[in-house]
Structure formats: structure tokens, C-alpha cells
């Protein structure tokens, strides 16, 4: 399961770096100012914590599910707010505000750098928001399932419940990766002292 958390955190960190790069490039090339501190704070805090989470997993520590749910929920909300405020600033731009015809709007958007940066940043922020939200929902699902199984006694069930099984890249790829010793150790299926 650690491999799946690692992939989520790595993808979130890379998307956060992409958001930061777009914001910095747009800030340096466009004279219009936005809520720069909000964007840089959201992007840098959640990107750094994603990469620190990757390092934590690489040091063979198990992620805490409650923390994953709460933190990724906040991250998802933060990226959603940045996407909405980015497009709000683009919509209120004086250069684009008074255009009426659709053809005029499309031609003006193509030539106007501020709108291009804002649109790209909003799209990448929404994608990052969705990845964080998927991470939070998956962690919440596992947490709720574990809590429900802990409350129910096995004799009340009458039969054993199947445990949730998650695969990295699908069942075939995951099973092929499990043949590798380093991946079994990384995924938490083998202790560092086991020799096979």
C-alpha cells in the first residue's frame, strides 16, 4: 500500500511544481498582479509537504490515514480556491472585460498573455485539486473500512470479509513488480531483514 501513497504524493508534488512554475513565469512576464501571496503559499506549502511525504515513505514509515484525509482535503480546497480566484482575476481584467462578440473574445484571449497564464494555471490547479481529492477519498475509504472491521466481531459476520486490494498501475503491473525484491520491501510486504 505504501507504493500507492508514494505515487499519489509524487504526482501531487510534480503538479504543485508545475503550478508554481506557471505562477512564477506569469508573474515575471505579465505586468498585472494577482493574489500572489495566496498562490505561492498554497503551491509551496502543499508541494513541499507532498515531497516530504515521499521522503517519509522512502524511509519506510507508514502514512497516518487520518492525517492523509485531513491534509489532502485542505490541499484540495486550497487548489480549488486558487483556480477559482485565478479565473476571477482573468475575468475582471480590463483588457478582456468589455469584449462582446465571441470572435473578439477568442482573438483577444489568444493575444493576451495574462489570460493565457491564468487559464493554464487554473486548469493545472483543478487537476491537482482532483488528485488531492482522490487521495483524501481513498484514505477516508480505507480508514472507514478499517474502523468498521474493528468494531464488528468475526463471529457476528458469519464469514470473513474480503479486504480491499489496491494495485499500482493495475493487477498485472503490480504483480510483476511484486516479483522484484526492492518493490516488495518498498511496498511493506517484506521486512528489511528478510532474505529471499
Amino acid at each position: 500500500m505504501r507504493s500507492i501513497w508514494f505515487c499519489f504524493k509524487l504526482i501531487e508534488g510534480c503538479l504543485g511544481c508545475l503550478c508554481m512554475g506557471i505562477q512564477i513565469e506569469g508573474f515575471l512576464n505579465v505586468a498585472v498582479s494577482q493574489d500572489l501571496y495566496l498562490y505561492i503559499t498554497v503551491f509551496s506549502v502543499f508541494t513541499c509537504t507532498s515531497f516530504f511525504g515521499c521522503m517519509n515513505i522512502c524511509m519506510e514509515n507508514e502514512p497516518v490515514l487520518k492525517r492523509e484525509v485531513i491534509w489532502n482535503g485542505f490541499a484540495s480546497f486550497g487548489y480549488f480556491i486558487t483556480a477559482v480566484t485565478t479565473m476571477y482575476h482573468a475575468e475582471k481584467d480590463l483588457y478582456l472585460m468589455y469584449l462582446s462578440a465571441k470572435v473578439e473574445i477568442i482573438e483577444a484571449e489568444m493575444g493576451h498573455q495574462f489570460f493565457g497564464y491564468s487559464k493554464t494555471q487554473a486548469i493545472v490547479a483543478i487537476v491537482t485539486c482532483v488528485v488531492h481529492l482522490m487521495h483524501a477519498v481513498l484514505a477516508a475509504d480505507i480508514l472507514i473500512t478499517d474502523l468498521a472491521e474493528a468494531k464488528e466481531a468475526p463471529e457476528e459476520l458469519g464469514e470473513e470479509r474480503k479486504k480491499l486490494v489496491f494495485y499500482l498501475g493495475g493487477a498485472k503491473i503490480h504483480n510483476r513488480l511484486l516479483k522484484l525484491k526492492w518493490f516488495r520491501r518498498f511496498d511493506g510486504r517484506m521486512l528489511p531483514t528478510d532474505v529471499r
Side-chain angles (χ1 to χ4, degrees):
M1 195 67 200
R2 283 193 309 204
S3 60
I4 293 169
W5 298 133
F6 180 81
C7 282
F8 265 118
K9 289 182 180 297
L10 187 64
I11 291 168
E12 291 161 1
C14 292
L15 286 171
C17 285
L18 188 60
C19 285
M20 259 194 302
I22 293 167
Q23 174 62 34
I24 290 169
E25 185 180 346
F27 175 70
L28 294 176
N29 293 329
V30 177
V32 182
S33 81
Q34 297 180 343
D35 290 339
L36 180 67
Y37 299 116
L38 169 70
Y39 301 142
I40 293 297
T41 302
V42 168
F43 298 154
S44 61
V45 166
F46 293 122
T47 301
C48 288
T49 55
S50 292
F51 285 129
F52 283 134
C54 286
M55 288 173 40
N56 189 33
I57 291 172
C58 286
M59 289 189 273
E60 299 180 356
N61 295 323
E62 291 291 331
V64 179
L65 290 178
K66 284 183 184 177
R67 188 182 314 142
E68 294 292 319
V69 172
I70 293 168
W71 188 253
N72 285 295
F74 280 132
S76 178
F77 181 71
Y79 278 105
F80 179 75
I81 292 298
T82 57
V84 170
T85 55
T86 299
M87 289 315 293
Y88 172 78
H89 286 296
E91 184 183 76
K92 296 299 179 187
D93 184 27
L94 290 174
Y95 186 78
L96 298 172
M97 190 181 290
Y98 297 106
L99 298 176
S100 58
K102 276 196 170 195
V103 176
E104 280 182 358
I105 293 172
I106 292 170
E107 289 174 0
E109 287 175 359
M110 299 304 273
H112 193 46
Q113 282 186 329
F114 176 68
F115 184 81
Y117 284 121
S118 297
K119 184 177 175 182
T120 306
Q121 180 175 315
I123 290 170
V124 176
I126 288 290
V127 169
T128 311
C129 165
V130 169
V131 172
H132 276 285
L133 189 61
M134 284 174 38
H135 189 169
V137 168
L138 180 63
D141 185 24
I142 293 171
L143 182 66
I144 291 169
T145 304
D146 288 347
L147 290 175
E149 285 178 0
K151 285 183 181 178
E152 294 177 354
E155 52 273 352
E156 291 176 9
L157 291 173
E159 60 183 45
E160 286 189 30
R161 249 189 203 174
K162 289 186 179 180
K163 206 160 170 75
L164 291 173
V165 180
F166 296 100
Y167 299 105
L168 179 65
K172 287 183 181 179
I173 294 173
H174 195 83
N175 289 332
R176 180 161 274 205
L177 286 171
L178 282 174
K179 293 177 183 175
L180 303 171
K181 185 177 179 180
W182 68 267
F183 186 77
R184 285 194 311 268
R185 182 176 173 190
F186 180 72
D187 204 35
R189 296 176 188 243
M190 184 174 86
L191 296 174
T193 56
D194 291 346
V195 178
R196 290 183 189 175

